[in-house]
Amino acid sequence: IRDFTWITGWQLVQDRRDRVLFRLITTTELTPALLAPFIAKLRTRVGDVPLDFERVDEIPRRPNGKFQPIVSTIEEGPA
């Protein structure tokens, strides 16, 4: 993510096994042309799972004040 200077903050959220949401704080609007190289790089890490992107002004911190870069709300159990 460091290669993409337009991203100033991020959080990966997985609330379903078949989707990953990236919350992004960015210096510019998200466009398909801007996201294309980012998505290509992500594919090497997350595979073919569908990716959604949400541009946000801030990413909430945990109650203890710490930033949580990866959030999973998927319950353990059979796939």
Side-chain angles (χ1 to χ4, degrees), residues 22-30 53-57:
F22 275 88
R23 292 184 180 140
L24 299 173
I25 301 172
T26 65
T27 58
T28 187
E29 293 294 322
L30 299 178
F53 298 91
E54 177 182 21
R55 185 174 187 233
V56 297
D57 293 327

Side-chain angles (χ1 to χ4, degrees), residues 19-78:
R19 179 183 79 123
V20 173
L21 168 67
F22 275 88
R23 292 184 180 140
L24 299 173
I25 301 172
T26 65
T27 58
T28 187
E29 293 294 322
L30 299 178
T31 65
L34 186 68
L35 285 172
F38 182 60
I39 291 170
K41 187 152 192 165
L42 288 175
R43 290 279 173 229
T44 65
R45 302 265 185 192
V46 301
D48 289 333
V49 66
L51 301 172
D52 290 327
F53 298 91
E54 177 182 21
R55 185 174 187 233
V56 297
D57 293 327
E58 66 180 337
I59 295 172
R61 300 210 174 249
R62 297 179 63 174
N64 64 5
K66 291 186 178 182
F67 170 68
Q68 185 173 0
I70 300 172
V71 177
S72 176
T73 59
I74 298 173
E75 293 186 24
E76 294 294 324

